[in-house]
Every structure is written in C-alpha cells, then in structure tokens.
Amino acid sequence: MKVTDHISNAQGKTLFSFEIVPPVKGKNIQELYNNIDPLMEFNPPFIDVTTSREEYVYVNKEGLLDKKITRMRPGTVGICASIKHKYNVDTVPHVLCGGFTKEETEYVLVDCQYLGIDNVMALRGDAMREEQYFTPAKGGHTYATQLVSQIQNLNSGQYLHDDTPMENNADFCIGVAGYPEKHLEAPSLQSDLKRLKEKVDAGADYVVTQMFFDNQKYFEFVEAAKKMGINVPIIPGIKPMAVKRHLQLLPQVFKIDLPQDLIDAVDNCENNKAVRQVGIEWAIQQSKELKKAGVPVLHYYSMGKSDNVYSIAKELF
Ligand code: FAD
C-alpha cells in the first residue's frame, strides 16, 4: 500500500515508522531482523531502507594498489523484499541519482514493481567520500527532480527508451527529502523550498525531513512550504542523539543547529550510555510535541541498533 494511503487511512492519527541501513557486506541479515523485531510492536505501516553511495577501495595486486569501486552496503531492494514478506509491512527503498545511470535506475524500479513494492524515496545522494561536490554518474541524473520525473514517466507507462506497452502501469508513491534548516548546498532556505516545490510538481507524493532537534524549525518549515504551495504530507524525521561525538558530527555533516539545552545535557554526560539516555529523553519530548501538533507520521532514523527507538516509541505509541 502507498505511504499516502496509510496516512489517509489513519484519519489524523500519528503513525510510527523508521529507517534502517543495510548491513555491511559480509554481515548476516539476522542482526537487522533482531533490531526490527521489537519495533514491530508499534505497527509501523512502512519501513525505509537506505541506499549507500559507492566508494573506492584499493586492492593489492602483486605489490601495486589497484583502485576499484564497490558498494559496502548493497542489497537495498532485496532487504525491502525480505522485510515486506517476513513482517507483512510495506517497505520503501531509497533510490539514488548518484552512482546510477538512468537505465540502471529503470531496472531497479522494474525489480520493485515485480516485488510488489509500492513506494520509493527519490534522492540525489551525497557526494562520494573522495569528492568535494556531487558528481552525477555518466548518463545519470543530477537532481532528485529528474529522478522523480523518471519514476512519474514509468507511472504513466513510459519506459526510458522504448515504447513497449505496459500491461500494468507502475504506480509508485514517491517520497522526497526536505530540509527544515535548508540543504547544505542551497544558497537559502527559500531557494531550497523552491527546489522542493519542483520535486512535488514533478510528482512527489510526500516529503520526509532531514533530522532536526528544535521542533520550531519543523513547524516554520511546514508553514513556509504551505505558503510555497506544497500541499503534500511532510513527515518529520527524528534522530535520537546517541554518542558524544554527534555534537560535532551532526552540525558538520548536515549543517543543522543544536539547541543549547541539548548541547549542555550531552556535555554533562560522563559516558555514551548517559548520552544515549539524554538522546532518548530529548526525542521523546520532541515526538510528544509533534504528535500533539498532529504530524502524519513520526519517522525515526534507527541506524542499526533499535533499543533507543524502542524506548521512545514505547512512550508514544
Ligand atoms: P536534491 O533535491 O536534488 O537537492 C540537492 C541540492 O540541489 C539542494 O541544495 C537543492 O536546493 C539543489 N537543487 C535542486 N534542484 C536544483 C536545480 N535544478 N538547480 C540547482 N540546484 C538545485 N543519502 C543517501 O546516500 N542514501 C540514502 O538512503 C539517503 N536517505 C535520505 C533520507 C532522507 C529523509 C533525507 C532527508 C536524506 C537522505 N539522504 C540519503 C541524503 C541525501 O541524498 C542528501 O541530502 C543529498 O545531498 C541531497 O539529496 P536530495 O534528494 O535532497 O537532492
């Protein structure tokens, strides 16, 4: 079922969902299931599965280092299919522009169609670790809007290069990313919102936000988006802070602000166990206020270990 249908069917009740990251290549999928199992108590209507950018590795070949490209966390669509069937829940694979040609994207979408996956999250992806700026794959998309258009074309029965008629048109519900504190490359929040409007006009059905730690930023973003004519659901993305290093890492990587009260509370923690508890309590307060404000879904970035998301959800659902 589509994410937007789950939201309509809930008739104003806030839903619970979360995002997982595929295991590192070579690791067993069981650990992922062990982390998903407890969260099923809160009836998530859908679970997102991220896609990682490819990266360079250096292979020692008779004393010479050979530069090769690989994906360290492959398997997004396979994991979506396995979770969908194991838990009888909808899954949302993240589909990236970065690292994929348009043709490869078409094959991913066709796989999703065969697997009965009804939703995809259309994202540009970040720059590769070695790059300063995002560079599209040769023959790939530069911006998420173009990816949304490709998916929308498939929804209208149009493949990339051939007019093979489709017996059943694709009918993907398309999610896109939104940034309450603007995307790090955008010159201003207003111009970033215009780009978001372009994604919605191209066919995006809903928005999931980047993490934020001050709900006011989300409320103002939703207001500004409405003024811009964006009328699709805007789902808040919540990340519980988990380690002290997040104080530097999150603002540096995502260009987001942290409230001083949160910084002080984390600074006063003696170890990461205490930080994890502060992160849980902060996320509970954030979630309670957002739920009271009637957000459609509370979407948690679980990043592997789910014990903190469990503690938060237990207070709310
Ligand atoms: P876009 O919407 O293409 O925007 C990128 C930048 O370009 C913005 O600054 C925008 O303002 C600007 N822009 C857009 N269109 C134009 C235009 N026509 N001309 C000029 N500028 C333009 N990354 C992953 O690698 N894997 C994931 O699974 C993943 N999941 C995510 C889930 C969520 C909910 C979020 C919020 C982010 C996720 N990301 C993921 C990170 C995302 O890929 C990065 O934030 C990326 O840098 C931007 O992606 P986007 O889809 O927002 O890009």
Side-chain angles (χ1 to χ4, degrees):
M1 198 196 276
K2 294 183 176 191
V3 165
T4 45
D5 288 339
H6 283 295
I7 292 173
S8 319
N9 291 351
Q11 297 182 334
K13 192 176 143 227
T14 300
L15 301 168
F16 163 76
S17 75
F18 60 96
E19 181 173 304
I20 54 162
V21 179
V24 175
K25 206 161 28 182
K27 292 273 181 202
N28 200 308
I29 197 170
Q30 188 55 47
E31 194 183 328
L32 193 61
Y33 294 149
N34 293 346
N35 278 289
I36 295 174
D37 285 345
L39 298 180
M40 296 316 289
E41 178 182 328
F42 310 110
N43 299 317
F46 62 92
I47 300 172
D48 276 54
V49 184
T50 64
T51 293
S52 309
R53 281 303 309 264
E54 68 281 26
E55 49 193 277
Y56 289 112
V57 288
Y58 294 87
V59 185
N60 193 334
K61 220 174 168 190
E62 294 159 6
L64 291 174
L65 289 182
D66 208 1
K67 191 177 176 187
K68 297 280 183 200
I69 204 154
T70 189
R71 229 169 261 278
M72 294 311 285
R73 292 176 182 272
T76 300
V77 171
I79 291 171
C80 281
S82 81
I83 293 175
K84 183 172 162 60
H85 294 289
K86 184 173 165 62
Y87 297 101
N88 192 22
V89 67
D90 281 300
T91 46
V92 188
H94 289 193
V95 178
L96 300 185
C97 303
F100 293 91
T101 63
K102 293 170 201 165
E103 290 77 10
E104 286 165 339
T105 297
E106 183 165 281
Y107 305 144
V108 168
L109 294 169
V110 168
D111 281 345
C112 290
Q113 222 187 332
Y114 286 141
L115 290 164
I117 291 169
D118 297 326
N119 305 280
V120 289
M121 186 80 186
L123 299 147
R124 186 196 71 177
D126 282 320
M128 283 175 75
R129 204 174 293 161
E130 295 78 4
E131 294 173 339
Q132 201 178 354
Y133 302 107
F134 175 84
T135 316
K138 201 162 175 269
H141 296 297
T142 308
Y143 296 111
T145 319
Q146 298 160 338
L147 176 56
V148 173
S149 297
Q150 182 182 354
I151 303 167
Q152 200 50 37
N153 284 344
L154 206 63
N155 280 351
S156 352
Q158 186 61 52
Y159 289 109
L160 271 177
H161 304 306
D162 48 273
D163 336 317
T164 310
M166 262 187 230
E167 278 184 5
N168 295 304
N169 278 12
D171 188 17
F172 291 112
C173 175
I174 308 169
V176 289
Y179 301 84
E181 297 176 66
K182 92 171 182 65
H183 181 256
L184 65 161
E185 293 161 29
S188 72
L189 184 57
Q190 198 61 13
S191 60
D192 203 27
L193 269 166
K194 275 192 193 156
R195 300 303 183 189
L196 180 60
K197 173 80 163 60
E198 286 169 8
K199 289 195 271 194
V200 173
D201 289 346
D205 297 292
Y206 70 100
V207 176
V208 182
T209 75
Q210 182 58 278
M211 66 185 78
F212 55 90
F213 292 87
D214 173 357
N215 285 348
Q216 207 47 41
K217 299 261 163 74
Y218 168 83
F219 294 134
E220 286 167 11
F221 176 70
V222 171
E223 218 31 61
K226 271 192 198 139
K227 276 202 189 121
M228 183 74 71
I230 297 172
N231 294 313
V232 297
I234 300 182
I235 297 174
I238 309 285
K239 179 176 172 55
M241 196 167 281
V243 288
K244 212 164 211 176
R245 212 162 71 87
H246 279 157
L247 280 189
Q248 281 78 44
L249 203 67
L250 301 181
Q252 192 188 337
V253 175
F254 301 107
K255 300 285 178 290
I256 52 170
D257 273 349
L258 299 177
Q260 192 57 46
D261 286 353
L262 177 61
I263 298 171
D264 292 343
V266 171
D267 259 341
N268 286 335
C269 290
E270 291 207 335
N271 51 38
N272 278 336
K273 191 169 172 237
V275 175
R276 211 167 170 80
Q277 192 52 37
V278 167
I280 289 170
E281 282 160 23
W282 192 273
I284 289 173
Q285 293 319 314
Q286 265 196 288
S287 305
K288 280 186 174 166
E289 189 182 25
L290 290 164
K291 194 175 177 199
K292 205 168 157 201
V295 298
V297 183
L298 284 166
H299 185 74
Y300 294 93
Y301 297 113
S302 89
M303 307 306 291
K305 295 263 176 280
S306 67
D307 58 305
N308 51 0
V309 176
Y310 182 88
S311 305
I312 298 158
K314 194 80 187 153
E315 292 285 323
L316 283 126
F317 296 95

